Short mmCIF file of all heavy atoms in Angstrom, two decimals:
data_model
loop_
_atom_site.label_atom_id
_atom_site.label_comp_id
_atom_site.label_asym_id
_atom_site.label_seq_id
_atom_site.Cartn_x
_atom_site.Cartn_y
_atom_site.Cartn_z
N VAL I 33 -1.28 -44.90 96.83
CA VAL I 33 -1.67 -46.10 96.10
C VAL I 33 -1.21 -45.98 94.65
O VAL I 33 -0.78 -46.94 94.03
CB VAL I 33 -3.19 -46.32 96.17
CG1 VAL I 33 -3.59 -47.58 95.44
CG2 VAL I 33 -3.64 -46.39 97.63
N SER I 34 -1.34 -44.78 94.10
CA SER I 34 -0.88 -44.49 92.75
C SER I 34 -0.60 -42.99 92.70
O SER I 34 -0.68 -42.30 93.71
CB SER I 34 -1.95 -44.88 91.72
OG SER I 34 -3.09 -44.04 91.84
N GLU I 35 -0.29 -42.49 91.52
CA GLU I 35 -0.05 -41.06 91.38
C GLU I 35 -1.31 -40.24 91.58
O GLU I 35 -1.26 -39.03 91.81
CB GLU I 35 0.54 -40.76 89.99
CG GLU I 35 1.95 -41.28 89.80
CD GLU I 35 2.93 -40.69 90.81
OE1 GLU I 35 2.86 -39.46 91.05
OE2 GLU I 35 3.73 -41.44 91.38
N THR I 36 -2.47 -40.89 91.53
CA THR I 36 -3.74 -40.17 91.62
C THR I 36 -4.57 -40.53 92.84
O THR I 36 -5.63 -39.94 93.05
CB THR I 36 -4.58 -40.43 90.35
OG1 THR I 36 -4.74 -41.85 90.19
CG2 THR I 36 -3.89 -39.87 89.12
N VAL I 37 -4.13 -41.49 93.63
CA VAL I 37 -4.89 -41.92 94.81
C VAL I 37 -3.93 -42.06 95.99
O VAL I 37 -2.88 -42.70 95.87
CB VAL I 37 -5.60 -43.26 94.57
CG1 VAL I 37 -6.41 -43.66 95.81
CG2 VAL I 37 -6.50 -43.20 93.36
N ILE I 54 -8.73 -38.82 96.20
CA ILE I 54 -8.80 -39.38 94.84
C ILE I 54 -8.86 -38.23 93.85
O ILE I 54 -9.69 -37.32 93.97
CB ILE I 54 -10.04 -40.28 94.67
CG1 ILE I 54 -9.99 -41.42 95.69
CG2 ILE I 54 -10.12 -40.84 93.26
CD1 ILE I 54 -11.18 -42.34 95.63
N ALA I 55 -7.97 -38.26 92.87
CA ALA I 55 -7.92 -37.20 91.87
C ALA I 55 -9.25 -37.10 91.13
O ALA I 55 -9.98 -38.07 90.98
CB ALA I 55 -6.78 -37.45 90.88
N GLY I 56 -9.55 -35.89 90.65
CA GLY I 56 -10.77 -35.68 89.90
C GLY I 56 -10.65 -36.17 88.47
O GLY I 56 -9.57 -36.49 87.98
N GLY I 57 -11.77 -36.22 87.78
CA GLY I 57 -11.78 -36.65 86.39
C GLY I 57 -12.45 -38.00 86.22
O GLY I 57 -12.43 -38.84 87.12
N PRO I 58 -13.04 -38.24 85.06
CA PRO I 58 -13.78 -39.49 84.84
C PRO I 58 -12.92 -40.73 84.91
O PRO I 58 -13.41 -41.81 85.24
CB PRO I 58 -14.38 -39.30 83.43
CG PRO I 58 -13.54 -38.24 82.78
CD PRO I 58 -13.10 -37.33 83.88
N ASP I 59 -11.63 -40.61 84.60
CA ASP I 59 -10.77 -41.80 84.62
C ASP I 59 -10.57 -42.36 86.02
O ASP I 59 -10.20 -43.53 86.18
CB ASP I 59 -9.39 -41.46 84.03
CG ASP I 59 -9.45 -41.21 82.54
OD1 ASP I 59 -10.52 -40.79 82.06
OD2 ASP I 59 -8.45 -41.43 81.85
N GLU I 60 -10.83 -41.55 87.05
CA GLU I 60 -10.59 -41.98 88.43
C GLU I 60 -11.86 -42.41 89.16
O GLU I 60 -11.80 -42.84 90.30
CB GLU I 60 -9.91 -40.86 89.22
CG GLU I 60 -8.56 -40.44 88.69
CD GLU I 60 -7.54 -41.58 88.70
OE1 GLU I 60 -7.66 -42.48 89.56
OE2 GLU I 60 -6.64 -41.57 87.85
N LEU I 61 -13.01 -42.30 88.50
CA LEU I 61 -14.26 -42.65 89.18
C LEU I 61 -14.34 -44.12 89.53
O LEU I 61 -15.07 -44.51 90.45
CB LEU I 61 -15.46 -42.26 88.30
CG LEU I 61 -15.88 -40.80 88.35
CD1 LEU I 61 -16.98 -40.53 87.34
CD2 LEU I 61 -16.35 -40.40 89.74
N ALA I 62 -13.60 -44.97 88.81
CA ALA I 62 -13.65 -46.41 89.11
C ALA I 62 -13.16 -46.70 90.52
O ALA I 62 -13.58 -47.68 91.14
CB ALA I 62 -12.81 -47.18 88.09
N ARG I 63 -12.26 -45.88 91.05
CA ARG I 63 -11.74 -46.09 92.40
C ARG I 63 -12.62 -45.43 93.47
O ARG I 63 -12.45 -45.68 94.66
CB ARG I 63 -10.31 -45.55 92.51
CG ARG I 63 -9.31 -46.22 91.57
CD ARG I 63 -7.93 -45.65 91.80
NE ARG I 63 -6.96 -46.12 90.83
CZ ARG I 63 -6.23 -47.22 90.95
NH1 ARG I 63 -6.38 -47.98 92.02
NH2 ARG I 63 -5.36 -47.57 90.03
N ASP I 272 -2.45 -52.14 95.14
CA ASP I 272 -1.39 -51.78 94.20
C ASP I 272 -0.38 -52.92 94.17
O ASP I 272 -0.33 -53.76 95.07
CB ASP I 272 -0.70 -50.48 94.63
CG ASP I 272 0.18 -49.89 93.52
OD1 ASP I 272 0.01 -50.30 92.36
OD2 ASP I 272 1.02 -49.05 93.82
N TYR I 355 -12.75 -47.15 76.79
CA TYR I 355 -11.57 -46.80 75.99
C TYR I 355 -10.81 -48.10 75.73
O TYR I 355 -10.13 -48.62 76.61
CB TYR I 355 -10.72 -45.78 76.75
CG TYR I 355 -9.65 -45.11 75.93
CD1 TYR I 355 -9.97 -44.09 75.04
CD2 TYR I 355 -8.32 -45.48 76.05
CE1 TYR I 355 -8.99 -43.47 74.28
CE2 TYR I 355 -7.33 -44.86 75.30
CZ TYR I 355 -7.67 -43.85 74.41
OH TYR I 355 -6.70 -43.24 73.66
N LEU I 374 -0.64 -57.91 82.98
CA LEU I 374 -1.99 -57.35 82.86
C LEU I 374 -2.98 -58.10 83.73
O LEU I 374 -3.90 -57.50 84.31
CB LEU I 374 -2.43 -57.35 81.40
CG LEU I 374 -1.77 -56.30 80.50
CD1 LEU I 374 -2.14 -56.53 79.04
CD2 LEU I 374 -2.18 -54.89 80.92
N LEU I 377 -2.52 -56.77 87.19
CA LEU I 377 -3.05 -55.41 87.33
C LEU I 377 -4.58 -55.41 87.29
O LEU I 377 -5.22 -54.59 87.95
CB LEU I 377 -2.48 -54.52 86.24
CG LEU I 377 -0.97 -54.25 86.34
CD1 LEU I 377 -0.50 -53.40 85.16
CD2 LEU I 377 -0.62 -53.56 87.65
N ASP I 381 -7.11 -53.27 89.79
CA ASP I 381 -7.64 -52.05 89.17
C ASP I 381 -9.09 -52.27 88.78
O ASP I 381 -9.39 -52.98 87.82
CB ASP I 381 -6.80 -51.70 87.93
CG ASP I 381 -7.14 -50.33 87.37
OD1 ASP I 381 -8.25 -49.83 87.66
OD2 ASP I 381 -6.31 -49.76 86.64
N GLY I 383 -11.16 -50.43 87.28
CA GLY I 383 -11.56 -49.84 86.01
C GLY I 383 -10.97 -50.52 84.80
O GLY I 383 -11.21 -50.09 83.66
N LEU I 384 -10.21 -51.60 85.00
CA LEU I 384 -9.52 -52.28 83.91
C LEU I 384 -10.22 -53.60 83.58
O LEU I 384 -10.55 -54.37 84.47
CB LEU I 384 -8.06 -52.55 84.32
CG LEU I 384 -7.21 -53.45 83.41
CD1 LEU I 384 -7.02 -52.81 82.05
CD2 LEU I 384 -5.86 -53.73 84.07
N VAL I 397 -7.28 -54.35 75.84
CA VAL I 397 -7.33 -53.71 77.15
C VAL I 397 -8.40 -52.62 77.11
O VAL I 397 -8.36 -51.74 76.24
CB VAL I 397 -5.96 -53.10 77.52
CG1 VAL I 397 -6.08 -52.22 78.75
CG2 VAL I 397 -4.95 -54.21 77.78
N VAL I 399 -10.09 -49.62 79.33
CA VAL I 399 -9.86 -48.77 80.50
C VAL I 399 -10.86 -47.61 80.49
O VAL I 399 -11.70 -47.51 79.60
CB VAL I 399 -8.40 -48.24 80.53
CG1 VAL I 399 -7.43 -49.37 80.76
CG2 VAL I 399 -8.06 -47.52 79.23
N GLN I 400 -10.74 -46.72 81.47
CA GLN I 400 -11.71 -45.65 81.64
C GLN I 400 -11.49 -44.45 80.73
O GLN I 400 -12.41 -43.68 80.51
CB GLN I 400 -11.70 -45.18 83.10
CG GLN I 400 -12.01 -46.28 84.10
CD GLN I 400 -13.41 -46.82 83.96
OE1 GLN I 400 -14.39 -46.07 83.88
NE2 GLN I 400 -13.55 -48.14 83.90
N GLY I 401 -10.27 -44.29 80.21
CA GLY I 401 -10.00 -43.14 79.35
C GLY I 401 -8.52 -43.04 79.03
O GLY I 401 -7.70 -43.87 79.47
N PRO I 402 -8.13 -42.02 78.27
CA PRO I 402 -6.72 -41.87 77.86
C PRO I 402 -5.76 -41.72 79.03
O PRO I 402 -4.66 -42.25 79.00
CB PRO I 402 -6.73 -40.60 76.99
CG PRO I 402 -8.14 -40.34 76.64
CD PRO I 402 -8.99 -40.99 77.68
N LEU I 403 -6.18 -40.99 80.08
CA LEU I 403 -5.32 -40.82 81.25
C LEU I 403 -5.09 -42.16 81.94
O LEU I 403 -3.96 -42.49 82.34
CB LEU I 403 -5.93 -39.81 82.22
CG LEU I 403 -5.14 -39.57 83.52
CD1 LEU I 403 -3.75 -39.04 83.21
CD2 LEU I 403 -5.90 -38.61 84.43
N HIS I 404 -6.15 -42.93 82.07
CA HIS I 404 -6.03 -44.26 82.68
C HIS I 404 -5.11 -45.14 81.84
O HIS I 404 -4.28 -45.88 82.39
CB HIS I 404 -7.42 -44.88 82.78
CG HIS I 404 -7.47 -46.14 83.59
ND1 HIS I 404 -8.58 -46.95 83.61
CD2 HIS I 404 -6.56 -46.74 84.39
CE1 HIS I 404 -8.35 -47.98 84.39
NE2 HIS I 404 -7.12 -47.88 84.88
N ALA I 405 -5.23 -45.06 80.52
CA ALA I 405 -4.36 -45.85 79.64
C ALA I 405 -2.90 -45.45 79.81
O ALA I 405 -2.01 -46.31 79.85
CB ALA I 405 -4.79 -45.66 78.18
N ARG I 406 -2.65 -44.15 79.93
CA ARG I 406 -1.27 -43.69 80.12
C ARG I 406 -0.72 -44.18 81.46
O ARG I 406 0.45 -44.61 81.54
CB ARG I 406 -1.22 -42.17 80.04
CG ARG I 406 0.20 -41.63 80.10
CD ARG I 406 0.29 -40.18 79.66
NE ARG I 406 -0.41 -39.27 80.53
CZ ARG I 406 -1.52 -38.64 80.20
NH1 ARG I 406 -2.06 -38.81 79.00
NH2 ARG I 406 -2.10 -37.80 81.05
N GLN I 407 -1.54 -44.14 82.51
CA GLN I 407 -1.10 -44.64 83.81
C GLN I 407 -0.77 -46.13 83.74
O GLN I 407 0.21 -46.60 84.34
CB GLN I 407 -2.19 -44.39 84.86
CG GLN I 407 -2.42 -42.92 85.17
CD GLN I 407 -3.68 -42.70 85.99
OE1 GLN I 407 -4.43 -43.64 86.25
NE2 GLN I 407 -3.92 -41.47 86.39
N LEU I 408 -1.59 -46.88 83.01
CA LEU I 408 -1.35 -48.31 82.85
C LEU I 408 -0.04 -48.57 82.13
O LEU I 408 0.76 -49.44 82.54
CB LEU I 408 -2.52 -48.95 82.11
CG LEU I 408 -2.40 -50.45 81.83
CD1 LEU I 408 -2.40 -51.24 83.13
CD2 LEU I 408 -3.55 -50.92 80.93
N ASN I 409 0.21 -47.82 81.06
CA ASN I 409 1.45 -47.99 80.31
C ASN I 409 2.67 -47.69 81.19
O ASN I 409 3.68 -48.40 81.15
CB ASN I 409 1.46 -47.07 79.09
CG ASN I 409 0.40 -47.46 78.07
OD1 ASN I 409 -0.26 -48.49 78.23
ND2 ASN I 409 0.21 -46.65 77.05
N GLU I 410 2.56 -46.63 82.00
CA GLU I 410 3.67 -46.27 82.89
C GLU I 410 3.89 -47.36 83.94
O GLU I 410 5.03 -47.66 84.32
CB GLU I 410 3.39 -44.92 83.54
CG GLU I 410 3.42 -43.75 82.57
CD GLU I 410 2.95 -42.45 83.21
OE1 GLU I 410 2.48 -42.49 84.36
OE2 GLU I 410 3.05 -41.40 82.54
N LYS I 411 2.79 -47.93 84.42
CA LYS I 411 2.90 -49.00 85.42
C LYS I 411 3.57 -50.23 84.82
O LYS I 411 4.44 -50.85 85.45
CB LYS I 411 1.50 -49.34 85.93
CG LYS I 411 1.47 -50.32 87.09
CD LYS I 411 1.86 -49.66 88.37
CE LYS I 411 1.67 -50.57 89.56
NZ LYS I 411 2.16 -49.97 90.81
N LEU I 412 3.18 -50.59 83.61
CA LEU I 412 3.77 -51.76 82.95
C LEU I 412 5.27 -51.57 82.75
O LEU I 412 6.05 -52.51 82.96
CB LEU I 412 3.09 -52.00 81.60
CG LEU I 412 1.67 -52.59 81.64
CD1 LEU I 412 1.04 -52.55 80.26
CD2 LEU I 412 1.70 -54.02 82.17
N PHE I 413 5.67 -50.37 82.38
CA PHE I 413 7.09 -50.13 82.14
C PHE I 413 7.86 -49.97 83.46
O PHE I 413 8.93 -50.54 83.64
CB PHE I 413 7.29 -48.91 81.26
CG PHE I 413 8.74 -48.62 80.95
CD1 PHE I 413 9.48 -49.47 80.16
CD2 PHE I 413 9.36 -47.50 81.49
CE1 PHE I 413 10.81 -49.21 79.89
CE2 PHE I 413 10.69 -47.23 81.23
CZ PHE I 413 11.42 -48.10 80.43
N GLY I 414 7.29 -49.18 84.39
CA GLY I 414 8.01 -48.88 85.62
C GLY I 414 8.16 -50.07 86.54
O GLY I 414 9.23 -50.28 87.12
N ASP I 415 7.09 -50.90 86.68
CA ASP I 415 7.13 -52.00 87.64
C ASP I 415 7.40 -53.36 87.00
O ASP I 415 7.81 -54.30 87.69
CB ASP I 415 5.82 -52.07 88.42
CG ASP I 415 5.67 -50.93 89.41
OD1 ASP I 415 6.64 -50.16 89.55
OD2 ASP I 415 4.60 -50.81 90.03
N PHE I 416 7.14 -53.47 85.70
CA PHE I 416 7.32 -54.77 85.05
C PHE I 416 8.35 -54.73 83.92
O PHE I 416 8.70 -55.77 83.36
CB PHE I 416 5.99 -55.28 84.50
CG PHE I 416 4.95 -55.53 85.56
CD1 PHE I 416 4.05 -54.54 85.90
CD2 PHE I 416 4.88 -56.74 86.21
CE1 PHE I 416 3.08 -54.76 86.87
CE2 PHE I 416 3.92 -56.98 87.18
CZ PHE I 416 3.03 -55.98 87.52
N ILE I 418 8.02 -53.57 80.86
CA ILE I 418 7.42 -53.96 79.58
C ILE I 418 6.94 -52.73 78.84
O ILE I 418 6.13 -51.95 79.38
CB ILE I 418 6.25 -54.94 79.78
CG1 ILE I 418 6.71 -56.19 80.55
CG2 ILE I 418 5.64 -55.33 78.44
CD1 ILE I 418 5.57 -57.11 80.94
N ILE I 420 4.81 -51.30 75.54
CA ILE I 420 3.74 -51.84 74.70
C ILE I 420 3.44 -50.90 73.54
O ILE I 420 3.80 -49.72 73.55
CB ILE I 420 2.44 -52.07 75.51
CG1 ILE I 420 1.88 -50.73 76.03
CG2 ILE I 420 2.66 -53.05 76.63
CD1 ILE I 420 0.49 -50.86 76.62
N GLU I 422 0.04 -49.94 70.84
CA GLU I 422 -1.42 -50.02 70.78
C GLU I 422 -1.92 -50.04 69.35
O GLU I 422 -1.34 -49.40 68.47
CB GLU I 422 -2.06 -48.84 71.53
CG GLU I 422 -1.79 -48.83 73.02
CD GLU I 422 -2.48 -47.67 73.71
OE1 GLU I 422 -2.98 -46.77 73.00
OE2 GLU I 422 -2.53 -47.66 74.95
#
Side-chain angles (χ1 to χ4, degrees):
V33 181
S34 68
E35 291 301 316
T36 56
V37 182
I54 302 178
D59 290 28
E60 299 299 332
L61 278 175
R63 299 183 187 271
D272 193 17
Y355 193 76
L374 286 172
L377 293 178
D381 190 339
L384 171 64
V397 169
V399 293
Q400 301 296 312
L403 178 60
H404 190 191
R406 185 165 65 250
Q407 293 169 354
L408 178 65
N409 294 354
E410 292 172 352
K411 187 76 173 175
L412 286 170
F413 181 67
D415 288 355
F416 297 93
I418 302 172
I420 65 170
E422 295 182 349

